[in-house]
Amino acid sequence: MCSIIGYYGNEIAAPILVKGLKRMEYRGYDSVGVATESENQIELKKGTGKVSEVNSKVQLDTLPGKVGIGHTRWATHGKVTDANAHPHPSNSGKIAIVHNGIIENFEELKSQLENEGYSFKSETDSEIIANLLQKNYEQTNDVKETILKTVSQIKGHYAFVAMFEDGQLAAARFHEPLIIGVGQDDFFLSSDVLGFIEYTDDAIYMENGTFVLLDKNKFQIFNFEGEHIGYGITKVSKEFGDAYKGDYAHFTLKEIYEQPETILKAGEKTFDAIENTADYIRHAKNIYITGSGTSYNSALIAKQILSKYVKIKAEPIMSSELQFNPETIEENSILIAISQSGESADVLEAIKIAKKANCKIIGIVNLLTSSLAREADVVIGLNCGPEIGVAATKSFTAQLVILYKIVQRLSNNEITINFDEFSESVSKTLDNPSNIKEIGKELKDISDIYILGRGINYPIATESALKLKELTYIHAEGIPGGELKHGPLALMDSNVFVIILNPNDSTYSDTLTSAREIKARGAKIIGVSDVKSDVYDYWIEIPKVSEVLYPISEIVPIQLLTYYAALEKNTDPDYPRNLAKSVTVK
Ligand code: F6R
């Protein structure tokens, strides 16, 4: 996944583009580039690395001109090299493009263009867009006709912005996000409102299968049939502008520390949506819950709390697996789709499959302008503000709070949860990080960590493993406690650390026994519990809370532990290698 940006206005474009790219870096951060138009000439600079690194190397922000495009890349086709970084110029140098998505028929188009004499400097699928535009523009001499012809030739999913040497901009959207920012005297084209929120909060969310032409302070939007279409301007919430680290060293740390507040805000003002969801659940033939990564771990917890507290059966389905098993979905059921971004391609594919089977879709999602929010019959907002750190932290706990609220509603409020009290207990954990910091130091040279939990604590074990992999690159694995003796015990020796999730719930004594068995093999034990035990080499104390809340109580200190371990290992906690915040490709 990548971020694209375009600017047309009265200011010098390059510094504005660089700033916008920095704010969208969470979308992809292995290379970056900017191209601008000045006096009917396109100038371009790019390189590998983060925005600030490349900018200090090649001074992207010194390019001249009041029109420009920019890009941060997350490599899909071709390695991380300067040549593969965007923007890509066409052979004539008269057009440059930035692209997010995948062109599925690029090999076929590339060899056609090569036969016609075009050459390619990169290994990317994106570069064919630049040359196809050049070819079509040379034939039509009209930007609108050029875009129409080009979008009819490329297959896949994409958002691209093209800049012509006379300073015209054109941008097309097909299954990848593209937003127009409408300022006083200038316009922005961007993958995310974060790209322009400092300058304007008026946004046009472009429909799928449309393109925009931008020239001399006016813009027109067309569909892929060439028909002129209208648009609505959305006032974007100013809270998106909060996407700054403030006094925190990293976004991830800031987002971990926001949780006492986001726990309280999760699902706020969505009483009707929660009520509707409870109603759908009560009357559904089957209930499926889907998500990817962290959001799938929430689905696993949802299954357990629905059965334990309200005796309702639900089936969690990993979104990426459903396409290989679509018959799992029975007609007229409901699919609860959980996603921070609302743009994960696998989740959207799962929704497509469920809709085909005539299922209703409930979306639990942070970005209310996302594709998931638009596809869902009922939408419940996480309301946790922008999450920039690539690893999900506050969005996970907000998802759990919403799931608890749904269960509460289904129990006709017989299950009561005091979220105010709970939020305070999370604050207490976060207020005393020194013990967790010290334990983080111990993980510096470790190559394997296992996390063991039973029952509802098992999904937290898999979520903890996911966090450790992402942030520290340590091999980490969640183990269901009862399975220890069926294999994983063979791995235990003095080289490994095991985190034992052991709250004082119904799993407590069995899990303590597992901890003793592991310790007897020489492994070091980190106990996460509200009860101290001599079996733990290190103890992370969690507050005594009602049983349903233990998962959140456990994951918050583990997020913090992982963050501090990442600092020890000198990895970048906000931008783990090879990953991107929302995975819009399958
Ligand atoms: C883990 C993480 C990913 C996401 C996954 C789904 O820390 O961030 O595993 O949870 O890519 O993303 P969303 O929730 O945006 O669909």
Side-chain angles (χ1 to χ4, degrees):
M1 198 191 61
C2 309
S3 66
I4 58 175
I5 190 165
Y7 174 81
Y8 191 110
N10 290 334
E11 304 292 324
I12 298 296
I16 294 173
L17 294 169
V18 170
K19 233 191 231 179
L21 289 173
K22 266 191 198 150
R23 300 192 77 179
M24 292 196 289
E25 204 163 25
Y26 72 91
R27 296 177 60 86
Y29 37 84
D30 57 43
S31 20
V32 56
V34 169
T36 55
E37 178 276 330
S38 171
E39 297 177 5
N40 291 339
Q41 284 251 316
I42 291 179
E43 299 202 29
L44 190 154
K45 287 182 179 183
K46 57 186 182 177
T48 59
K50 307 263 291 290
V51 178
S52 50
E53 289 160 14
V54 177
N55 195 37
S56 49
K57 238 189 292 169
V58 301
Q59 286 83 43
L60 301 164
D61 57 3
T62 58
L63 285 169
K66 295 178 176 176
V67 182
I69 57 177
H71 187 269
T72 62
R73 178 168 187 248
W74 181 57
T76 55
H77 290 66
K79 292 193 202 72
V80 180
T81 61
D82 289 354
N84 289 338
H86 298 218
H88 292 289
S90 70
N91 277 187
S92 65
K94 294 181 176 183
I95 299 171
I97 64 101
V98 287
H99 162 230
N100 169 35
I102 287 181
I103 305 301
E104 282 159 9
N105 59 340
F106 89 99
E107 276 166 333
E108 183 192 322
L109 291 169
K110 190 170 176 176
S111 61
Q112 273 170 26
L113 287 163
E114 278 172 339
N115 288 339
E116 292 168 29
Y118 285 87
S119 62
F120 289 83
K121 295 191 183 70
S122 78
E123 304 159 295
T124 64
D125 52 341
S126 312
E127 195 181 358
I128 66 112
I129 302 176
N131 283 327
L132 209 51
L133 286 168
Q134 177 184 324
K135 178 183 159 185
N136 293 334
Y137 190 60
E138 282 168 1
Q139 282 172 4
T140 61
N141 209 18
D142 179 89
V143 174
K144 182 181 168 193
E145 289 307 313
T146 299
I147 300 294
L148 276 174
K149 203 157 180 198
T150 305
V151 296
S152 72
Q153 289 165 317
I154 55 180
K155 294 200 177 86
H157 45 102
Y158 51 81
F160 68 80
V161 186
M163 181 172 65
F164 293 74
E165 67 170 354
D166 61 358
Q168 286 191 74
L169 289 184
R173 167 172 193 226
F174 193 64
H175 294 297
E176 292 292 346
L178 185 62
I179 305 160
I180 307 173
V182 184
Q184 278 295 76
D185 300 309
D186 39 18
F187 298 100
F188 302 81
L189 298 159
S190 182
S191 301
D192 189 318
V193 291
L194 289 176
F196 56 76
I197 191 69
E198 268 176 64
Y199 304 95
T200 177
D201 56 355
D202 284 335
I204 300 168
Y205 287 85
M206 283 184 61
E207 292 294 327
N208 204 37
T210 62
F211 65 96
V212 57
L213 303 182
L214 240 166
D215 185 16
K216 306 206 174 52
N217 285 341
K218 71 171 191 327
F219 66 90
Q220 292 174 287
I221 304 177
F222 303 91
N223 61 22
F224 283 2
E225 279 72 54
E227 294 155 349
H228 200 274
I229 60 165
Y231 57 83
I233 292 188
T234 306
K235 271 267 176 237
V236 181
S237 166
K238 277 284 187 195
E239 69 153 0
F240 281 102
D242 289 348
Y244 285 107
K245 281 185 275 200
D247 292 336
Y248 290 94
H250 294 96
F251 282 112
T252 305
L253 186 63
K254 176 176 177 252
E255 288 156 8
I256 291 171
Y257 270 84
E258 280 171 350
Q259 290 176 107
E261 196 189 333
T262 53
I263 282 168
L264 291 177
K265 285 169 92 175
E268 211 180 43
K269 298 184 198 133
T270 51
F271 181 81
D272 288 351
I274 287 177
E275 183 64 46
N276 287 344
T277 302
D279 224 44
Y280 273 122
I281 291 177
R282 280 190 201 102
H283 299 106
K285 189 166 149 205
N286 296 289
I287 301 152
Y288 308 107
I289 314 175
T290 199
S292 298
T294 291
S295 300
Y296 175 66
N297 289 329
S298 291
L300 294 175
I301 291 183
K303 172 200 159 77
Q304 298 217 18
I305 57 175
L306 280 166
S307 67
K308 183 174 169 108
Y309 295 105
V310 284
K311 312 248 170 315
I312 291 176
K313 212 173 107 197
E315 189 178 344
I317 301 174
M318 206 175 269
S319 299
S320 57
E321 286 292 314
L322 187 58
Q323 58 191 296
F324 306 107
N325 219 350
E327 50 290 335
T328 312
I329 304 284
E330 283 187 38
E331 295 258 316
N332 303 321
S333 302
I334 65 165
L335 179 79
I336 303 178
I338 308 177
S339 172
Q340 188 283 130
S341 61
E343 297 293 352
S344 293
D346 291 321
V347 180
L348 298 178
E349 181 69 23
I351 290 173
K352 221 192 256 173
I353 293 167
K355 281 197 160 180
K356 245 192 213 157
N358 215 13
C359 294
K360 292 284 180 208
I361 312 293
I362 315 286
I364 300 180
V365 61
N366 200 24
L367 284 190
L368 295 179
T369 48
S370 62
S371 308
L372 167 53
R374 284 199 291 263
E375 292 291 325
D377 297 286
V378 178
V379 179
I380 308 176
L382 298 183
N383 200 24
C384 64
E387 189 178 66
I388 305 295
V390 165
T393 52
K394 62 177 179 174
S395 64
F396 178 59
T397 50
Q399 289 168 355
L400 296 189
V401 169
I402 285 169
L403 293 164
Y404 295 160
K405 286 188 173 173
I406 294 170
V407 169
Q408 230 179 339
R409 196 67 216 106
L410 284 162
S411 78
N412 292 325
N413 293 331
E414 272 177 30
I415 296 166
T416 53
I417 301 173
N418 186 335
F419 286 108
D420 289 322
E421 212 175 277
F422 180 58
S423 155
E424 267 172 43
S425 74
V426 172
S427 287
K428 272 191 200 136
T429 303
L430 292 170
D431 285 348
N432 290 305
S434 52
N435 174 39
I436 294 173
K437 229 185 225 174
E438 288 306 308
I439 303 173
K441 286 185 188 153
E442 302 294 324
L443 304 185
K444 185 166 186 250
D445 299 315
I446 292 298
S447 50
D448 300 286
I449 299 186
Y450 300 96
I451 306 97
L452 182 137
R454 279 182 167 74
I456 200 161
N457 306 300
Y458 173 58
I460 296 298
T462 59
E463 173 59 12
S464 306
L466 187 56
K467 290 291 92 89
L468 281 155
K469 281 177 217 169
E470 282 177 292
L471 295 192
T472 67
Y473 315 154
I474 299 173
H475 163 244
E477 210 178 302
I479 303 175
E483 289 298 294
L484 184 67
K485 290 205 208 82
H486 298 288
L489 198 54
L491 297 164
M492 301 303 155
D493 63 23
S494 56
N495 297 318
V496 305
F497 266 68
V498 182
I499 300 177
I500 302 284
L501 302 177
N502 202 16
N504 196 9
D505 62 8
S506 56
T507 67
Y508 180 77
S509 47
D510 284 344
T511 300
L512 201 63
T513 304
S514 302
R516 290 198 195 284
E517 287 164 357
I518 292 167
K519 188 155 172 139
R521 271 78 189 177
K524 287 270 185 299
I525 308 277
I526 303 174
V528 178
S529 180
D530 40 351
V531 184
K532 198 173 180 180
S533 164
D534 59 357
V535 76
Y536 306 144
D537 296 287
Y538 307 91
W539 179 39
I540 295 178
E541 185 178 4
I542 55 168
K544 289 188 193 308
V545 290
S546 100
E547 195 167 328
V548 67
L549 294 170
Y550 275 129
I552 302 185
S553 293
E554 291 160 357
I555 196 61
V556 171
I558 290 174
Q559 292 168 346
L560 206 53
L561 175 68
T562 305
Y563 170 80
Y564 287 122
L567 296 190
E568 292 298 323
K569 297 205 63 136
N570 244 331
T571 62
D572 184 338
D574 283 346
Y575 301 111
R577 68 183 177 201
N578 306 338
L579 299 179
K581 181 72 183 159
S582 79
V583 185
T584 60
V585 289
K586 282 210 285 175

